[in-house]
C-alpha cells in the first residue's frame, strides 16, 4: 500500500506560460521556434504536435532547462514555469527522451531510479520509499539490484519514467518516448504513463508523431506552426476531427488521414541479382570482459538481391541493429558465413568486413540508429558532400546530387546549419541523405523513418522506392508497420533472447509482389 504522505498526488501540477517565446540556435538565421503564446494549467495533459522541425523538442528542452546558455542560442519573449524561469525551477520538471539507452545512468535498477532524488538532496529513507513507489507506478516488478543493461527497450523507458516520477516533478515532459520501441514496448510505456499519472496532479506534455497512441489519455492538443506560433489548440475532438484535413496537409499524423504511398515499379524477378548472402549467420557484440562476441541472433539464412527490400523487425533487444551492422561489414559475424557476390565484390574480395571505408562507400551504405553518430562537419551541405568527394565525383556532379537531396528531403533551408542543431527528424533525414549521396548498391538503414511527420515520411519512402526500382538493394531495421507495408518485399522477424533463429520459411511476404526468398 502506498504511503499517502509520499504519494505523487500530493505534488501540485506546474503552470506553464509562454508569451511571444522563441529560440534561435547560435549561428542560425532562422528561428527554431517563435511567437509561442499559450497557458497550460496545472494538471493538464497535453499532446504537443507539429511538422518535423516545428520546434517541439526545442520547446520541451527549454522547459526542462537543458537548452544551454547564451553561447548556445538566443531566447526571445517569456517562458515560465510557476512564474519562474525553467532554469530556476529545479526539481519541478522531469524529462524522458526517445532513446532508451541514453537515459540509463547506473548499473542497477534501484540505483538508477534513485539517481535524480539523490541529486535533489532527498533523504535516504525517503529516496527508497519513492523508488519502490515509482517502480510500482510504472509496472516494473524487478529486484532493486536487477541489472539495468538486461532490460528491453520498453522496460528501459519505464525505468526512465520511474526515475522522473521519483523526483515528484510538477511537470512531466515526454519527447517521443516510444519512437525507438517495438509495438509491445509502445503500449508498455503508454500504459505506464497513464497508470502513473492516474494518482498524480502533475502536468503532462508529450511529443509524439503517432497521435493514436496518446490521444485518449490527453485532454488537450497543441499544434505548433513551423512558421511560428500555434497552428491549432483545443480538445482532441476539436483539433483532430474538425481540423484533421488541414493538419494532415501540414504534415501532422492524423488518424484517418494516411500519407500517400509510392507506386512501386520493381525489376522483374529474373533481374534481381544476388548481392549479399548469409548462411547460418550468427551475430553478436563483444561484451565487457568477454573474449568472444556474445551471440544475440543466430541461424540466419538470407539473400539480399538488387531491387528488393528486406525489413528486419522484432522486439527490442532481439539483435536487429547488430544484424544490420554485420550485414554492412562493420561488425564481424559471430558465426556462419557472410559473403558478397562476385559482381559486388569485384576488386575487393568477397568478405565485407575486410573492405576499407572507401571500398564500402559505393557498395554498402549504412544509416546508424543514432543519426549524430555519423556527422562529421559543421554544415548540412558539407555533410552531404563528404561521400561523393571521397568517391571521386567531379565537383559539378557532387553539387547536383547534394542540391537534389536537400530539396527532396526538405533540408534546403538548412543547408548552412550545423547538423547537431537540427531536430531529431531533420537529423534522420540528413543521415539518410548522406548515404544516398554516394549511391551504394546496398542500403542498410536502421529506423529510417523515426521522427518524421507524415509529409517527410512520404518523401523518404518515395525516395527509397525510386532507389529500389533503379536496382538498389535495401535492408531496413524498423518498427514502422506502414514503412514495411509500403516498401518491403520480405520481412525477417527476429525473436527475443540469445538463441534467435530466422530461416527462409519464417520470412513472410510483406507486400503482394512475388519474390522467392
Amino acid at each position: 500500500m502506498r504511503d499517502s504522505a509520499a504519494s505523487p498526488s500530493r505534488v501540485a501540477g506546474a503552470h506553464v506560460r509562454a508569451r511571444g517565446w522563441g529560440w534561435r540556435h547560435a549561428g542560425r538565421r532562422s528561428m527554431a521556434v517563435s511567437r509561442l503564446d499559450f497557458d497550460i494549467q496545472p494538471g493538464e495533459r497535453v499532446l504537443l504536435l507539429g511538422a518535423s522541425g516545428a520546434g517541439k523538442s526545442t520547446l520541451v528542452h527549454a522547459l526542462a532547462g537543458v537548452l544551454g546558455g547564451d553561447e548556445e542560442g538566443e531566447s526571445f519573449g517569456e517562458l515560465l514555469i510557476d512564474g519562474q524561469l525553467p532554469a530556476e525551477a529545479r526539481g519541478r520538471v522531469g524529462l524522458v527522451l526517445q532513446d532508451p539507452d541514453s537515459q540509463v545512468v547506473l548499473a542497477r535498477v534501484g540505483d538508477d531510479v534513485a539517481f535524480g532524488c539523490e541529486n535533489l538532496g532527498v533523504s535516504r529513507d525517503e529516496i527508497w520509499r519513492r523508488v519502490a513507489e515509482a517502480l510500482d507506478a510504472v509496472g516494473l516488478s524487478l529486484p532493486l539490484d536487477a541489472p539495468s543493461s538486461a532490460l528491453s527497450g520498453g522496460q528501459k523507458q519505464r525505468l526512465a519514467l520511474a526515475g522522473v516520477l521519483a523526483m515528484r516533478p510538477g511537470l512531466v515532459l515526454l519527447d517521443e518516448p516510444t519512437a525507438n520501441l517495438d509495438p509491445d514496448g509502445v503500449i508498455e510505456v503508454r500504459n505506464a504513463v497513464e497508470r502513473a499519472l492516474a494518482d498524480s496532479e502533475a502536468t503532462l506534455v508529450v511529443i509524439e508523431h503517432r497521435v493514436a497512441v496518446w490521444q485518449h489519455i490527453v485532454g488537450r492538443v497543441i499544434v505548433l506552426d513551423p512558421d511560428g506560433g500555434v497552428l491549432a489548440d483545443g480538445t482532441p475532438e476539436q483539433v483532430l476531427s474538425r481540423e484533421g484535413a488541414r493538419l494532415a496537409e501540414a504534415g501532422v499524423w492524423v488518424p484517418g488521414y494516411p500519407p500517400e504511398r509510392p507506386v512501386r515499379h520493381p525489376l522483374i524477378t529474373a533481374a534481381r541479382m544476388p548481392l549479399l548472402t548469409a548462411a547460418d549467420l550468427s551475430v553478436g557484440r563483444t561484451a565487457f570482459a568477454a573474449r568472444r562476441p556474445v551471440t544475440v541472433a543466430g541461424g540466419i539464412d538470407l539473400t539480399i538481391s538488387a531491387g528488393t527490400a528486406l525489413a528486419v523487425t522484432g522486439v527490442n533487444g532481439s539483435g536487429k541493429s547488430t544484424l544490420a551492422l554485420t550485414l554492412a561489414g562493420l561488425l564481424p559475424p559471430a558465426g556462419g558465413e557472410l559473403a558478397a557476390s562476385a559482381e559486388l565484390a569485384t576488386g575487393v574480395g568477397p568478405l565485407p568486413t575486410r573492405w576499407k571505408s572507401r571500398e564500402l562507400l559505393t557498395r554498402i551504405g549504412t544509416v546508424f540508429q543514432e543519426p549524430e553518430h555519423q556527422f562529421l562537419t559543421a554544415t548540412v551541405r558539407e555533410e552531404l558532400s563528404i561521400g561523393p568527394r571521397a568517391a571521386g565525383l567531379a565537383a559539378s556532379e557532387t553539387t547536383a546530387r547534394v542540391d537534389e537531396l536537400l530539396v527532396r528531403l526538405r533540408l534546403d533551408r538548412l543547408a548552412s546549419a550545423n547538423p547537431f542543431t537540427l531536430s531529431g527528424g531533420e537529423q534522420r533525414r540528413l543521415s539518410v541523405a548522406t548515404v544516398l549521396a554516394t549511391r551504394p548498391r546496398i542500403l542498410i538503414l536502421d529506423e529510417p523513418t523515426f521522427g518524421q511527420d507524415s509529409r517527410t515520411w512520404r518523401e523518404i519512402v518515395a525516395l527509397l522506392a525510386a532507389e529500389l526500382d533503379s536496382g538498389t538493394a535495401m535492408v531496413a531495421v524498423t518498427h514502422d508497420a506502414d514503412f514495411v507495408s509500403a516498401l518491403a518485399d520480405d520481412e525477417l522477424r527476429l525473436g527475443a533472447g540469445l538463441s534467435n533463429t530466422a530461416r527462409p520459411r519464417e520470412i513472410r511476404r510483406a507486400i503482394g509482389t512475388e519474390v522467392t526468398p
Side-chain angles (χ1 to χ4, degrees), residues 210-293:
R210 304 295 179 134
V211 176
V213 175
W214 297 96
Q215 68 180 92
H216 80 280
I217 68 171
V218 300
R220 181 178 176 187
V221 176
I222 297 176
V223 186
L224 301 190
D225 191 330
D227 295 325
V230 172
L231 188 62
D233 186 354
T235 67
E237 172 64 25
Q238 291 170 334
V239 172
L240 300 178
S241 296
R242 300 178 189 177
E243 302 283 344
R246 181 169 73 103
L247 295 177
E249 182 64 26
V252 177
W253 286 94
V254 180
Y257 294 87
E260 181 183 353
R261 297 180 180 183
V263 177
R264 291 283 308 279
H265 301 287
L267 297 170
I268 61 172
T269 302
R272 295 183 172 183
M273 179 187 304
L275 298 176
L276 196 63
T277 301
D280 197 26
L281 179 68
S282 296
V283 300
R285 297 199 187 207
T286 302
F288 179 72
R291 294 183 178 181
R292 303 180 65 182

Side-chain angles (χ1 to χ4, degrees), residues 80-440:
L80 301 175
I81 299 171
D82 294 334
Q84 296 180 297
L85 294 173
E88 299 169 354
R90 184 172 181 264
R92 284 291 283 162
V93 183
L95 171 64
V96 178
L97 302 170
Q98 62 182 272
D99 180 12
D101 291 307
S102 69
Q103 298 168 96
V104 176
V105 180
L106 297 173
R108 296 186 297 186
V109 164
D111 294 340
D112 198 78
V113 178
F115 182 76
C117 293
E118 290 175 340
N119 284 317
L120 293 175
V122 178
S123 68
R124 180 180 177 83
D125 290 344
E126 174 65 11
I127 284 176
W128 292 107
R129 280 195 293 270
R130 292 190 185 188
V131 168
E133 182 182 83
L135 288 171
D136 177 55
V138 302
L140 271 182
S141 300
L142 297 170
L144 296 182
D145 62 353
S148 55
S149 61
L151 303 185
S152 69
Q155 288 175 318
K156 287 177 181 177
Q157 284 296 63
R158 286 190 282 159
L159 181 67
L161 178 62
V164 164
L165 295 176
M167 294 188 293
R168 305 282 170 78
L171 174 61
V172 177
L173 304 171
L174 309 179
D175 189 357
E176 295 200 63
T178 64
N180 291 328
L181 300 182
D182 59 69
D184 290 341
V186 170
I187 301 304
E188 278 183 16
V189 172
R190 192 275 314 278
N191 290 348
V193 172
E194 186 174 21
R195 181 170 54 246
L197 294 181
D199 298 329
S200 171
E201 294 176 359
T203 305
L204 171 70
V205 177
V206 55
I207 296 174
E208 180 60 70
H209 279 291
R210 304 295 179 134
V211 176
V213 175
W214 297 96
Q215 68 180 92
H216 80 280
I217 68 171
V218 300
R220 181 178 176 187
V221 176
I222 297 176
V223 186
L224 301 190
D225 191 330
D227 295 325
V230 172
L231 188 62
D233 186 354
T235 67
E237 172 64 25
Q238 291 170 334
V239 172
L240 300 178
S241 296
R242 300 178 189 177
E243 302 283 344
R246 181 169 73 103
L247 295 177
E249 182 64 26
V252 177
W253 286 94
V254 180
Y257 294 87
E260 181 183 353
R261 297 180 180 183
V263 177
R264 291 283 308 279
H265 301 287
L267 297 170
I268 61 172
T269 302
R272 295 183 172 183
M273 179 187 304
L275 298 176
L276 196 63
T277 301
D280 197 26
L281 179 68
S282 296
V283 300
R285 297 199 187 207
T286 302
F288 179 72
R291 294 183 178 181
R292 303 180 65 182
V294 176
T295 300
V296 294
I300 299 170
D301 295 318
L302 57 85
T303 298
I304 300 168
S305 299
T308 64
L310 171 68
V312 181
T313 64
V315 299
N316 287 94
S318 59
K320 302 184 300 296
S321 293
T322 305
L323 172 60
L325 292 173
T326 304
L327 294 175
L330 302 177
L331 284 179
E337 297 180 358
L338 177 67
S341 67
E343 195 272 341
L344 182 66
T346 300
V348 292
L351 302 180
T353 54
R354 296 184 180 179
W355 298 350
K356 298 176 181 178
S357 58
R358 189 180 298 273
E359 294 166 343
L360 280 168
L361 197 60
T362 57
R363 292 176 172 85
I364 306 177
T366 307
V367 171
F368 300 137
Q369 188 175 60
E370 298 300 321
E372 62 270 21
H373 289 177
Q374 60 195 96
F375 295 154
L376 301 171
T377 72
T379 73
V380 168
R381 177 176 290 279
E382 193 65 25
E383 197 69 41
L384 287 172
S385 301
I386 288 178
R389 287 174 183 165
L393 267 66
S396 58
E397 187 172 357
T398 295
T399 299
R401 288 191 187 184
V402 168
D403 287 345
E404 178 187 5
L405 287 167
L406 286 171
V407 172
R408 288 291 302 271
L409 292 175
R410 295 180 183 264
L411 296 170
D412 48 323
R413 66 181 180 84
L414 299 167
S416 299
N418 188 311
F420 293 97
T421 67
L422 304 184
S423 72
E426 290 165 345
Q427 286 186 340
R428 171 47 81 211
R429 297 202 300 281
L430 176 57
S431 65
V432 171
T434 59
V435 171
L436 294 178
T438 61
R439 297 181 181 171

